[in-house]
Amino acid sequence: MAEPHIPIESGVPDPFPYMHPVLKRNYGTWRWHDRPRPGVLRHVAASGEAVWTVKAGTQRQLDVFTVRLLCAIGDECADGFMRFTTRSNIEFMVTDEAKVAPLVARLEADGFPVGGTGNSVSMISHTQGWLHCDIPGTDASGVVKALMDAMIHEFRHEEMPNKVKITTSCCQINCGGQGDIAVNVQHTKPPVINHDLVAQMCERPAVVARCPVAAIRPAMVNGKPSLEVDEKKCVCCGACYPPCPPMQINDPEHSKLAIWVGGKHSSTRTKPTFHKLVAAGIPNNPPRWPEATDIVMKILHAYKAGARPWERMSEWIDRIGWPRFFEVTDLPFTKFHIETWRGSRASLNASAQLRF
Amino acid sequence: MAEPHIPIESGVPDPFPYMHPVLKRNYGTWRWHDRPRPGVLRHVAASGEAVWTVKAGTQRQLDVFTVRLLCAIGDECADGFMRFTTRSNIEFMVTDEAKVAPLVARLEADGFPVGGTGNSVSMISHTQGWLHCDIPGTDASGVVKALMDAMIHEFRHEEMPNKVKITTSCCQINCGGQGDIAVNVQHTKPPVINHDLVAQMCERPAVVARCPVAAIRPAMVNGKPSLEVDEKKCVCCGACYPPCPPMQINDPEHSKLAIWVGGKHSSTRTKPTFHKLVAAGIPNNPPRWPEATDIVMKILHAYKAGARPWERMSEWIDRIGWPRFFEVTDLPFTKFHIETWRGSRASLNASAQLRF
Amino acid sequence: MSKEMPATPMLDELESGPWPSFVSGLKRLAAAEDKPYAPMMKDLLGQLERSYETRKGYWKGGTVGVRGYGAGVIPRFSELAGEFPDSAEFHTLRIMPPAGMHYTTDILRQLCDIWEKYGSGLVALHGQSGDIMFQGIRTANVQPCFEEFNALGFDLGGAGAGVRTSISCVGAARCEQSCFDEARAMRMVVNAFLDEMHRPSLPYKFKFKFSGCANDCANAIQRSDFAVIGTWRDDLRIDQDEVKTYVAKNGRKWMIDQVIAMCSTRALSLNDDDTLAFDGESCVRCMHCINAMTKAIKPGDERGVTILLGGKRTLKIGDQMGTVIVPFLRLETDEDYEKLLDLARRVVDFFVENALEHERIGESIERIGLVNLLEAVGLELDPNMVSHPRTNSYVRTDGWAEEAAKWRARKGSAEAAD
Amino acid sequence: MSKEMPATPMLDELESGPWPSFVSGLKRLAAAEDKPYAPMMKDLLGQLERSYETRKGYWKGGTVGVRGYGAGVIPRFSELAGEFPDSAEFHTLRIMPPAGMHYTTDILRQLCDIWEKYGSGLVALHGQSGDIMFQGIRTANVQPCFEEFNALGFDLGGAGAGVRTSISCVGAARCEQSCFDEARAMRMVVNAFLDEMHRPSLPYKFKFKFSGCANDCANAIQRSDFAVIGTWRDDLRIDQDEVKTYVAKNGRKWMIDQVIAMCSTRALSLNDDDTLAFDGESCVRCMHCINAMTKAIKPGDERGVTILLGGKRTLKIGDQMGTVIVPFLRLETDEDYEKLLDLARRVVDFFVENALEHERIGESIERIGLVNLLEAVGLELDPNMVSHPRTNSYVRTDGWAEEAAKWRARKGSAEAAD
Ligand code: SRM
Ligand code: SRM
Ligand code: SRM
Ligand code: SRM
Ligand code: SF4
Ligand code: SF4
Ligand code: SF4
Ligand code: SF4
Ligand code: SF4
Ligand code: SF4
Ligand code: SF4
Ligand code: SF4
């Protein structure tokens, strides 16, 4: 038998062997950029060299056939190089402006919508869901596909006031990050405990420690060590489920979707902000989640119509205020919108600044 | 013997019998105002009538002789009416512009500095201190007098970027409110307990409940019921002292002064803000508190030099940032400046917005 | 032979300098040999000088009052009574001034005369809560002194666990920004709670304050439990000719830097013809542009108040600003003012029933949550009550549909009513 | 006879519409009868359809890995193994891509070839943390598959309680805003922690992220424990001729509304000659004016990074942004980059020694306070670390003089060094 393989702990690969030569040559010396059309960026370096980037959407969950198709496009139209963005879009770079139009045409022809640059709605940051995760309340790929289909015009055009970054998460752990809009699972009932399995599957003190509101306590049930949930305290977050799968939080009926708006990572103009709950109780309705999609589209259209250039979602709402946000999106404002978590007082309006 | 007096619970007196006729006539119909000179306001009503208000400083803690002097001025120069502002300044109203100059001259001649309007430093909101309160760590009247002497130019002139509202408090209960600058007592040692007196003077459960950090517990000391303080937890706030005077918090050496900046009640431009600690450990040094006065003057001058028109203290600092504030005021930045109270995380810089 | 003037070398240093000196005032009183209070004020000076030397206070509390009332007098007994016997008792009478602190010279003189007869001659105009503080009176004189003030139309203010003395800004009496009748609202509300003021039986103190606009000259937002602040619901009124005059006089850069760029919410822009572009949707009624161009811009016509609850100073939970519980209440007709009073009553009732001992209402809100308070008081939720909706997903949202339906029903009926 | 294609009526509805369909991709793989993975993908489709019908997930975890490593594989065993035996095991290999996610078609094809041999043919480009996720492999194939990837120069990424896979923005490779060499910094740091990545033994996960400027295209501030974000210390560079060109082209109102009024801190004004007035004191380096006028404005020349600690998602204490622990670290020379690495080491050491089990470093800061962390890690206090100093007086301040002296000593020596 062969020697056991000793891994080569090579870590993160050096990007230079895989980088388009024009990027390598002008590394660190880019000077400015513009966007000749949606989906296309032109960057110009100190050397005077320019590179055109053509950006297109992918489904992220790629079969090798699709990857090879992208490679073929890369070879035929873009010097054999490409990169992916942090949002699973693909970018091909060319140094000759004349190659832009054919590249765009080829991508579109092969089913990859060109867009996602500038003030467009880019691809959704998506997570695993039923396809792969062990704790999902919904699917991610399906939600993303349904939403991107609905928003395709906004991906292909730059008609938004600023970039729109959407995220989704398939459980309340929220691997998707903050988003201008976020579509996340929100459970509405405490976990249902399978007491027969707790003793064999769960380290009880660890589970107890995991609950953010100390709603879990060890208990003997039917003579076996198990756990008990104080249903009055429980906030249905599902944090107990990963370390203890017998605490079933997912429920076909009561695991709902919620929509959040105004998350922002950039420190641009305004400081980064967390997204805020605007709608919950939305049915988790595969395969196309029409109710969630509708609300997202309503919000997008209100933002598009009302925000000023450069205003991110949160900045638009800061200007027009939450009363008007709920009005223009026709979403109900309820007691659930009022923060109850630590430091909640800070989210109240402690001023005489008001909107009517 | 006479019948026992039955109080006439008349409550807040109607102001109209005491109000200058021009104010009465134009009540609720004023249109605009300007400031012909520091200390003088002109308000014009819809009727076209105008009233000139001349504003002057008083010591607030007034002897009847001084009150009668003010009355004499009122009779001779101002139709026999006057009002006091929320900051213990006096205002005389006249309807004839020609009366303004003599009124100003008379006030100044009698020792009442004219000013405190517009972008000046107005009178300090002052509290009781050694003169009257049962829990003071310092005097208030003396601190106010010392500071107002030092700031007299800024009271008499309107050379500040915006109004400067200063407050002072003679114990950590802080009857003085938020201030653009606040000079407050800050104790630095836990209370020293006179165990012999606790049992007879203090309701122990009430005192225990009063401590914001739960540092007090009932204890038997020398066989008598008393209280015990966990000195590691104690934040030296003195809240236990009013309900239990044997918990001596005041200390000639360790009760210090602290200076806070950037408090703002108005919702004008920016939302109201609390003042923030900038300097502590300042000696409580009667009769003229030179160390505290120095720091206040440094801050005032930095603000005057650096802020733009309309910027209140907090708005100026928001613009230039705390690093520069500490630089221009030459005050040290220490670990004590970092918030440790509930929700403290929210006071950290959670952004990539920086100043150098 | 008259009592000797105490040596006050430290206090004497506070006689110099341009600001009026309280020490000189104290000395004038102490030196008024023909007055009953001269000995008291000599001892007072002696004790105060001692405080300056030792950096310690020497007063302690106690119980002193007037018949029928449980508050309004702040009792002070000296710990140095042996040494300074004449100021052994040095209580304060808190007397409420006319709303807006307007006085005739005549009434002030009458007040002084009474005070000279019974008290020390020392009076603070005014205390931070708004009282006239007649400072320095012996226990025996409290009752007759109060009776004379009372006969003149003046009443004791608050102290202890009751409704407190209130302040309203000068407002309608002399200010063009005023959005309601501050003095009327203040007197109406406070005078309805005199029982709670004079016989305090609330969980803790409760303060009302009234400011005519968001400039908040009465410091209502932080220094009162129940803040009433003027505002308007329609758009502000702009006189474009006056705007042009301002621009012509001060220049475009002034206009951009001092008005446009300082608006809270970018509701303003400068048109190329030097008129002001105003976007009502964005305006938060912050007063800045009005303050900056008082001749050109005014509050709208549909005026009223915002009500905020829970402002207070540091004790126990740290300082709190009041937060909005009623975004807009029109204040025009008698019925409108009745509504304000009715709301105040419901809030105070809630306070009595729900607050813990020594708990301000701001602390109650912190403890039980705004929503519970609104429900108990019978107020409707409004997004104006938050800076932003929740950012944390830790909440149980079953019942969403019912709550959403409530909102839709309210909106439906509001629209139907419009 | 080949295995039957499952009926997937619900999933089929996701084949229509303009966005590329992952369902079509899954079906292509399932239909690739010549490939070893076709049966696996048929069962995978079957199980996924079931999830769509029942709205439930059917995967559970377990333990699967490669020799020598304790992480990098996400094991998935089906709860419906009986019904869908060929996808009973469907693990993911997390493989780290080249920094910046640059690929040649050649390397991508090689990766696909290996994956076709051992796995399902399904690959995510990329996971939210930045891994290539090769999704769907049986336990038996994990080791040989990894060996082939490894031979090609690729390594497993993070999972579990260890250092995680990182992302750096495209930055210097194709962006004029870049303030440091993001790829270099990222590789240097992450590759120094491969032990902590491959044999996880930290209290909990630890993520680094690297953005070349405050636009934060890598989402570093909230989605990493240790965020490295580019900035500059001198003033931004303005080309006034280009400014005038912008104004000429877009108009003054554009300039006022879209640049001047949108600056974070009123650091900008428009001069009457259409040049830009810039006030370096007020600038917070927010990038807006640079973004808006990329040809006219650039970051300053003295470039480096800000380091923030503690960003994370919701669990236990609610979402947290990272907060500043190093306002500015110049990144230019090799030594500068060493300093960054050294700091990362000290922070991770601190984390190992002080965090509770399952506690992110953001939660540790919440628990023990920023100051203790700074002291332990050996960092100096800076007012840039706070939005504002304390507003609450509940703090024991004895020791003030000593702390003040420390600050003065530091300032003194900083000035001496200048
Ligand atoms: C390619 C990518 C970096 C990468 O390493 O992959 C990228 C590239 C650029 N970003 Fe970004 N950003 C990328 C993700 C992000 C993200 C993170 C994300 O998408 O999850 C953010 C933070 C979002 C947030 O705040 O939550 C981000 C916030 C920005 C901003 C700030 C926007 C703002 O106003 O808040 C700018 C500035 C701008 O728009 O001019 C920016 C600007 C840019 C520029 C214009 C920078 C430049 O000069 O080259 C690049 C072209 C953008 C375009 O397509 O129009 N980029 N950018 C990422 C593309 C993702 C995608 O496919 O959509
Ligand atoms: C695969 C991925 C989602 C995706 O489809 O892209 C993912 C998937 C999982 N995440 Fe995540 N997280 C992924 C990025 C994130 C991110 C985003 C990021 O890294 O920028 C976050 C938010 C940032 C953060 O770290 O807080 C994130 C926050 C979490 C958390 C919450 C941590 C917290 O402290 O709040 C958990 C739960 C935990 O760690 O206990 C979690 C746990 C998980 C687990 C391991 C759930 C579990 O316990 O089994 C998921 C495995 C799914 C699977 O079957 O592959 N994942 N997770 C992402 C990693 C792919 C990759 O390696 O590239
Ligand atoms: C007389 C008084 C009301 C009263 O009922 O007594 C008053 C009167 C006026 N205030 Fe005030 N304010 C008065 C206390 C306040 C206070 C409270 C305080 O002093 O403790 C504040 C809130 C301070 C804070 O934010 O902490 C206050 C914040 C304002 C503002 C908002 C300033 C800002 O930019 O934040 C304005 C608007 C302005 O300056 O144009 C204002 C404007 C005014 C105007 C111009 C209103 C008007 O149109 O008549 C009045 C003349 C001011 C002057 O003297 O220049 N007044 N004003 C108070 C005088 C106090 C004093 O003697 O100094
Ligand atoms: C006299 C006065 C200061 C002054 O010189 O002006 C004052 C003096 C006292 N205040 Fe005050 N407060 C005075 C206005 C305030 C204010 C300002 C205001 O009302 O706008 C505040 C801040 C706002 C607030 O209500 O929070 C204030 C917050 C306090 C507190 C802290 C309450 C809290 O919840 O944080 C206490 C302590 C307590 O109530 O237990 C307190 C307690 C006291 C006591 C009763 C101390 C005691 O327990 O013996 C002081 C009596 C002093 C004396 O000998 O006369 N005083 N006190 C003010 C009342 C005069 C008047 O009636 O007009
Ligand atoms: S959000 Fe939840 S279900 Fe979705 S990938 Fe992350 S941990 Fe799994
Ligand atoms: S769902 Fe969340 S709140 Fe409820 S018991 Fe589990 S961990 Fe606790
Ligand atoms: S601040 Fe303290 S010492 Fe001063 S008057 Fe108020 S309670 Fe008394
Ligand atoms: S001084 Fe404050 S913290 Fe210390 S024991 Fe007394 S009440 Fe508690
Ligand atoms: S609060 Fe408003 S209305 Fe009242 S005095 Fe001040 S500026 Fe005038
Ligand atoms: S009132 Fe305030 S928010 Fe409204 S337009 Fe004027 S400055 Fe802007
Ligand atoms: S973070 Fe800054 S440097 Fe990096 S890609 Fe985005 S804009 Fe460019
Ligand atoms: S970088 Fe930001 S803060 Fe600095 S001048 Fe430009 S817009 Fe203003």
Side-chain angles (χ1 to χ4, degrees), chain A residues 286-339:
Chain A
R288 281 201 163 266
W289 292 270
E291 300 85 355
T293 308
D294 267 12
I295 298 178
V296 169
M297 294 310 290
K298 259 203 275 196
I299 295 170
L300 266 184
H301 288 145
Y303 167 67
K304 186 175 178 178
R308 301 201 189 138
W310 295 108
E311 283 179 344
R312 291 282 297 273
M313 185 74 67
S314 63
E315 294 167 318
W316 167 56
I317 303 173
D318 275 355
R319 178 171 57 76
I320 66 158
W322 290 99
R324 187 144 288 113
F325 174 87
F326 284 99
E327 196 181 301
V328 295
T329 55
D330 194 31
L331 292 170
F333 182 77
T334 70
K335 67 179 185 185
F336 303 110
H337 288 101
I338 312 265
E339 185 67 273

Side-chain angles (χ1 to χ4, degrees), chain A residues 60-61 126-128 132-135 173-176 210 242, chain D residues 74 76 92 94 126-131 133 158 164-165 204-205 207 209 222-225 311-315 358 360 363:
Chain A
R60 182 178 101 143
Q61 304 291 21
H126 107 12
T127 48
Q128 291 291 53
H132 197 271
C133 198
D134 55 341
I135 53 180
I173 273 177
N174 290 329
C175 296
R210 210 66 76 86
Chain D
I74 310 297
R76 288 295 174 250
T92 285
R94 290 185 173 174
H126 298 84
Q128 288 305 322
S129 301
D131 283 300
M133 300 197 294
R164 294 303 190 87
T165 301
Y204 195 24
K205 61 178 72 159
K207 294 180 181 173
K209 282 190 166 65
Q222 209 253 331
R223 284 167 50 181
S224 69
D225 299 275
K312 67 173 295 291
R313 211 53 170 86
T314 322
L315 280 190
H358 207 260
R360 299 283 288 264
E363 293 164 316

Side-chain angles (χ1 to χ4, degrees), chain A residues 87 124-125 143 147 151 164-170 174-186 257-265 274-280 282 292 295-296 299-300 313, chain C residues 391, chain D residues 313 319:
Chain A
R87 288 188 168 259
I124 299 169
S125 289
V143 170
L147 283 168
M151 301 187 301
V164 181
K165 303 288 192 177
I166 301 186
T167 65
T168 183
S169 291
C170 26
N174 290 329
C175 296
Q178 300 296 313
D180 287 303
I181 304 179
V183 182
N184 296 349
V185 164
Q186 183 84 25
L257 297 185
I259 291 177
W260 304 69
V261 307
K264 172 171 179 287
H265 294 90
F274 297 115
H275 51 223
K276 289 99 194 162
L277 179 72
V278 294
I282 306 165
I295 298 178
V296 169
I299 295 170
L300 266 184
M313 185 74 67
Chain C
T391 61
Chain D
R313 211 53 170 86
D319 291 54

